[in-house]
């Protein structure tokens, strides 16, 4: 096909089919997915600003004295210590010393923040004590709204600090993190990053930048690195920037380069001697390029092509996007919370605070902490605010709430009036909803083929099923509710008929249950037998196909066959309908 006189469209189709077959037969994408940054578009550009500044005389004196009395320290310990001159100064002047009154980095930071009044600024320092004192400096010297985030805080306190920083109106302009703040938290709503000092480890450097440089970041990132000239900070800044280019680009090879040159780097940081710095930087740069070239050569192209998902992934994305902003979900969720008895407070910014109340239907609500939760139905808001729960149809608060309502018996019986002059007054209909359910472990995959399946039946007074003739939605709009007192009287007057119709429904539903089981069997066999045949064919050409994989599918087919055969049906709910002319 590729070499014939076929059209361009036919050639493209044939080429894609060939690639798909190659990926399926020889790629590792059956059991492994791996996406590289280069394969995914949309990441921001990093604008790097290295800012050298003069070292204060106070630091020069304290560092010289520390060097004279610290002879017994290992080179690595001394190197680490020399990166933080403010801590050395405090050793001599005491914990109450206000190093931030004269540190040129602090002066620069205040100027930068005040110049960026409309921007959120993330500041990362290695030590919690430094973060706390920086917050004090910003507050006392300029009245800047800042909050801190460090390992000495509880999880709840950290969440509050992150939420205060994320808050658009009235929130903190600056979040000052210790090193722990560069791990596990995402602040892609901000694009200003200040590294008040530098980490020893190249991987930690990438962790810091990764708090802002991630999927969801819509702007280029400004990375600011103020450092004191003639100190270990300057040495490390140059090595990161010129040897690894680690500020401007991701650096997966950084640790390996560091391992090769760590002795030289540690000695320079400990002693301040930069005579070898240029050679170390040049050697690091060349070695880094070699390692990146090896990584590039070692890429598994078939794996990368399979990992991006292609058209199938795009279709999933489109389906998910189509459900975003679903007003039916919002209406249902709020009604569900009202039914259960949860408190709901509008917090603004597309957010609600949901908390337990004293009048709840149950002692606790699934997925809702004791002290409540902040929720949002907006995906963009949830991506930028980690303190918010993104509510979708799959969220535990929705699924758990549905299960709760169904298991509590609420709404399992009802009485309604049907105003229809074409039928005699007092005519009764009984609407029955059965549920077919297969009791099986979740890991069996039963939900793919036989999830809890409702069967609706509409029994007339003679025991005939009219469900195929009476569509639910249209019929439901013709019905009127009945108050509890009248409903009780109506049920009492026709109780014998109701029991008779339930018995008729129980007998008639079995035929429909059999059809449900058959459909589940067909779906299961079509899916798993097809996968089994595919693996058996692949095994003939690909030794990576293990016998265990084939045996696992065979076992799954046998287990699911038994679970589907044993699927039970039970009456879930019923509604008595009485004809009235008024």
């Amino acid at each position: 096909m590729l070499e014939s006189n076929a059209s361009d469209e036919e050639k493209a189709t044939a080429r894609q089919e060939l690639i798909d077959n190659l990926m399926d037969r020889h790629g590792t994408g059956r059991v492994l997915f791996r996406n590289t940054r280069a394969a995914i578009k949309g990441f921001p550009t990093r604008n790097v600003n290295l800012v050298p500044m003069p070292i204060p005389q106070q630091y020069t004196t304290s560092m010289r004295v520390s060097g004279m009395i610290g002879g017994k320290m290992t080179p690595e310990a001394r190197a680490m210590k020399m990166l933080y001159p403010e801590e050395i100064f405090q050793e001599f002047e005491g914990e109450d010393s206000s190093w931030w009154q004269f540190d040129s980095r602090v002066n620069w930071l205040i100027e930068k923040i005040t110049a960026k009044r409309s921007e959120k600024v993330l500041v990362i320092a290695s030590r919690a004590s430094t973060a706390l004192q920086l917050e004090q400096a910003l507050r006392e010297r300029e009245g800047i709204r800042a909050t801190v985030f460090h390992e000495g805080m509880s999880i709840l306190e950290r969440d509050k600090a992150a939420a205060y920083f994320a808050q658009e109106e009235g929130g903190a302009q600056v979040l000052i993190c210790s090193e722990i703040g560069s791990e596990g938290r995402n602040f892609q709503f901000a694009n200003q990053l200040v590294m008040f000092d530098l980490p020893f480890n190249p991987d930690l450097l990438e962790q810091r930048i990764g708090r802002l440089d991630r999927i969801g970041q819509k702007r280029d990132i400004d990375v600011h690195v103020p450092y004191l000239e003639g100190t270990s900070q300057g040495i490390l800044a140059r090595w990161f920037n010129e040897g690894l280019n680690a500020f401007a680009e991701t650096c997966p090879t950084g640790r390996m380069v560091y391992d090769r040159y760590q002795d030289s780097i540690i000695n320079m940081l400990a002693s301040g001697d930069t005579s070898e710095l240029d050679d170390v930087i040049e050697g690091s740069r060349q070695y880094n390029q070699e390692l990146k070239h090896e990584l590039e050569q070692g890429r598994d192209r078939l794996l990368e092509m399979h990992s991006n998902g292609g058209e199938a992934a795009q279709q999933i994305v489109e389906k998910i996007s189509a459900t975003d902003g679903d007003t039916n979900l919002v209406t249902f969720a709020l009604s569900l919370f009202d039914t259960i008895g949860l408190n709901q407070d509008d917090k603004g910014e597309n957010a609600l605070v949901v908390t337990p109340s004293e009048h709840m239907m149950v002692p606790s609500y699934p997925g809702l902490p004791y002290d409540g939760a902040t929720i949002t139905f907006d995906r963009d808001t949830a991506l930028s605010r980690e303190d918010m729960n993104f509510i979708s149809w799959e969220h535990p608060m929705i699924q758990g709430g549905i299960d709760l309502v169904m298991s509590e018996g609420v709404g399992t019986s009802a009485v309604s009036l049907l105003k229809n002059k074409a039928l005699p007054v007092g005519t009764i209909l009984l609407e029955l909803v059965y549920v077919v359910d297969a009791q099986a472990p979740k890991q069996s995959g039963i939900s793919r083929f036989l999830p809890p399946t409702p069967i609706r039946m509409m029994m007339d007074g003679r025991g005939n099923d009219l469900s195929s003739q009476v569509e639910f939605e249209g019929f439901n709009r013709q019905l009127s509710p009945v108050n509890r007192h009248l409903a009780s009287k109506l049920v009492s007057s026709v109780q014998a008929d109701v029991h008779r119709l339930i018995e008729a429904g129980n007998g008639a539903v079995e035929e429909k249950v059999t059809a449900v089981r058959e459909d589940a069997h067909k779906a299961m066999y079509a899916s798993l037998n097809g996968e089994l045949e595919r693996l058996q064919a692949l095994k003939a050409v690909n030794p990576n196909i293990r016998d265990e994989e084939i045996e696992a599918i065979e076992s799954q087919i046998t287990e699911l066959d038994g679970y589907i055969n044993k699927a039970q049906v039970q009456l879930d709910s019923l509604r008595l309908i009485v004809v009235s002319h008024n």
Side-chain angles (χ1 to χ4, degrees):
M1 178 67 76
L2 293 177
E3 296 179 357
S4 67
N5 295 323
S7 66
D8 291 341
E9 183 177 349
E10 290 174 328
K11 288 181 179 180
T13 301
R15 185 179 293 108
Q16 186 59 48
E17 184 177 346
L18 176 60
I19 292 172
D20 290 342
N21 287 334
L22 283 172
M23 288 193 295
D24 195 35
R25 288 176 177 253
H26 303 292
T28 54
R30 299 174 304 101
V31 292
L32 175 66
F33 292 90
R34 182 187 67 197
N35 277 314
T36 61
R37 190 182 180 95
I40 302 177
K41 307 302 179 186
F43 283 99
T45 299
R46 299 175 179 181
N47 301 316
V48 183
N49 302 295
L50 270 62
V51 188
M53 50 191 59
I55 181 170
Q57 182 62 41
Q58 294 93 323
Y59 285 166
T60 303
T61 302
S62 58
M63 291 169 69
R64 184 173 63 250
V65 174
S66 176
M68 291 189 302
I69 64 176
K72 295 183 179 180
M73 296 178 67
T74 64
E76 186 168 1
R78 182 184 293 277
M80 181 68 72
K81 185 175 183 177
M82 298 303 285
L83 285 173
Y84 312 111
E86 65 277 3
E87 291 189 353
I88 297 175
F89 176 77
Q90 280 189 318
E91 287 181 8
F92 296 101
E93 300 296 328
E95 291 294 327
D96 296 330
S97 62
S98 298
W99 58 266
W100 43 265
Q101 294 283 11
F102 59 80
D103 193 311
S104 49
R105 293 172 299 170
V106 178
N107 298 333
W108 172 89
L109 179 61
I110 290 175
E111 291 175 3
K112 178 61 64 176
I113 292 171
T114 52
K116 299 275 187 180
R117 283 289 188 187
S118 61
E119 296 283 358
K120 298 283 188 178
V121 181
L122 177 64
V123 180
I124 301 180
S126 295
R127 311 300 175 90
S129 58
T130 305
L132 288 165
Q133 289 169 316
L134 280 175
E135 187 277 332
Q136 180 185 358
L138 299 184
R139 175 167 36 85
E140 293 187 7
R141 291 181 56 180
E142 202 64 34
I144 295 170
R145 284 199 309 273
T147 186
V148 292
F149 188 106
H150 59 84
E151 59 271 25
M153 302 166 66
S154 67
I155 294 295
L156 181 59
E157 289 172 331
R158 295 180 205 175
D159 288 343
K160 288 181 177 179
Y164 182 40
F165 180 53
Q167 190 175 324
E168 292 183 11
E169 295 184 10
Q173 183 193 359
V174 182
L175 177 64
I176 307 172
C177 299
S178 63
E179 198 67 73
I180 195 174
S182 64
E183 299 180 12
R185 293 286 177 155
N186 304 327
F187 305 107
Q188 61 265 39
F189 54 85
N191 77 326
Q192 300 293 317
L193 173 63
V194 175
M195 296 196 196
F196 190 77
D197 50 38
L198 291 172
F200 215 51
N201 188 332
D203 293 339
L204 281 179
L205 183 75
E206 184 58 41
Q207 285 278 3
R208 288 185 176 192
I209 302 175
R211 298 311 96 216
L212 274 58
D213 185 5
R214 57 193 312 106
I215 294 175
Q217 176 61 259
K218 294 180 171 58
R219 298 180 293 171
D220 290 345
I221 296 169
D222 293 333
V223 181
H224 306 282
V225 186
Y227 66 90
L228 301 175
E229 294 178 302
T231 68
S232 298
Q233 294 179 356
I235 296 172
L236 202 54
R238 279 197 60 194
W239 182 70
F240 278 141
N241 188 49
E242 300 172 35
L244 300 180
N245 197 26
F247 295 116
E249 298 179 358
T250 56
C251 188
T253 56
R255 185 67 198 191
M256 289 180 283
V257 178
Y258 173 79
D259 289 342
R260 170 174 283 195
Y261 290 97
Q262 64 175 337
D263 291 340
S264 298
I265 294 171
I266 288 172
N267 288 331
M268 283 189 291
L269 295 177
S271 65
D273 181 5
T274 59
S275 58
E276 297 182 8
L277 180 58
D278 289 340
D279 292 337
V280 170
I281 287 176
E282 180 59 25
S284 298
R285 187 186 63 78
Q286 293 182 7
Y287 185 45
N288 189 42
Q289 290 179 346
E290 291 173 9
L291 290 173
K292 285 187 173 182
H293 181 71
E294 290 177 10
L295 287 176
E296 180 70 19
Q297 292 299 110
R299 288 168 55 194
D300 188 329
R301 304 286 178 160
L302 292 178
L303 173 60
E304 289 184 13
M305 294 173 69
H306 187 271
S307 294
N308 68 30
E311 292 184 5
Q314 185 60 38
Q315 290 173 4
I316 293 173
V317 170
E318 291 172 357
K319 288 180 180 179
I320 294 174
S321 299
T323 63
D324 284 353
D326 184 357
T327 56
N328 291 327
L329 170 61
V330 179
T331 302
F332 175 81
L334 299 184
S335 298
L336 175 63
F337 298 158
D338 281 337
T339 300
I340 300 298
L342 301 178
N343 294 324
Q344 304 166 53
D345 298 311
D346 189 349
K347 193 179 179 181
E349 298 182 355
N350 298 317
L352 283 175
V353 177
V354 181
T355 54
S357 73
E358 297 178 357
H359 310 290
M360 288 171 56
M361 180 192 302
V362 290
S364 62
Y365 184 81
L368 182 66
Y370 177 77
D371 55 350
T374 303
I375 67 170
T376 181
F377 298 94
D378 181 69
R379 186 180 297 274
D380 290 337
T381 301
L383 284 171
S384 64
R385 294 285 300 272
E386 290 194 351
D387 59 307
M388 293 186 183
N389 290 269
F390 176 57
I391 301 299
S392 66
W393 286 109
E394 291 74 29
H395 192 278
M397 288 180 66
I398 301 298
Q399 290 295 315
I402 293 172
D403 293 341
L404 184 62
V405 170
M406 294 182 69
S407 63
E408 283 293 311
V410 176
T412 56
S413 59
V415 178
S416 298
L417 291 180
L418 171 63
K419 296 179 181 179
N420 190 328
K421 294 185 177 180
L423 296 174
V425 173
T427 300
I428 66 169
L429 300 169
L430 189 66
E431 187 175 31
L432 305 171
V433 177
Y434 295 86
V435 174
V436 181
D437 191 15
Q439 298 297 319
K442 189 174 182 179
Q443 61 267 26
S444 68
I446 189 67
S447 60
R448 291 173 56 194
F449 312 111
L450 185 55
T453 305
I455 297 177
R456 173 177 172 264
M457 303 189 73
M458 177 67 74
M459 312 302 293
D460 66 9
R462 301 179 205 174
N464 298 315
D465 177 24
L466 306 178
S467 59
S468 60
Q469 306 165 38
V470 183
E471 182 267 335
F472 174 77
E473 291 293 344
F475 182 69
N476 192 55
R477 285 193 290 269
Q478 301 176 42
L479 302 180
S480 302
V482 176
N483 64 54
R484 186 184 297 271
H485 180 68
L486 179 57
S488 179
K489 285 186 174 181
L490 289 173
V491 170
S492 296
S493 66
V494 295
Q495 191 170 17
D497 291 326
V498 169
H499 286 293
R500 176 175 56 82
L501 294 179
I502 291 176
E503 290 296 325
N506 290 343
V509 77
E510 284 301 328
E511 182 178 344
K512 295 189 177 183
V513 173
T514 300
V516 170
R517 290 196 191 105
E518 289 177 354
D519 289 343
H521 274 121
K522 289 178 183 177
M524 187 266 289
Y525 290 141
S527 175
L528 297 187
N529 277 341
E531 180 65 14
L532 179 61
E533 292 171 2
R534 169 178 165 268
L535 285 181
Q536 289 171 336
L538 288 178
K539 186 174 176 59
V541 295
N542 188 341
N544 289 325
I545 308 298
R546 297 167 298 154
D547 291 335
E548 290 86 345
E549 293 182 66
I550 295 175
E551 292 168 2
I553 291 185
E554 291 174 337
S555 175
Q556 186 181 18
I557 292 173
T558 302
E559 288 180 358
L560 287 174
D561 192 64
Y563 292 138
I564 293 171
N565 284 333
K566 294 178 181 177
Q568 299 294 314
V569 64
Q570 63 179 6
L571 179 60
D572 181 73
S573 57
L574 57 83
R575 174 162 59 177
L576 175 64
I577 301 159
V578 181
V579 174
S580 168
H581 290 176
N582 298 321

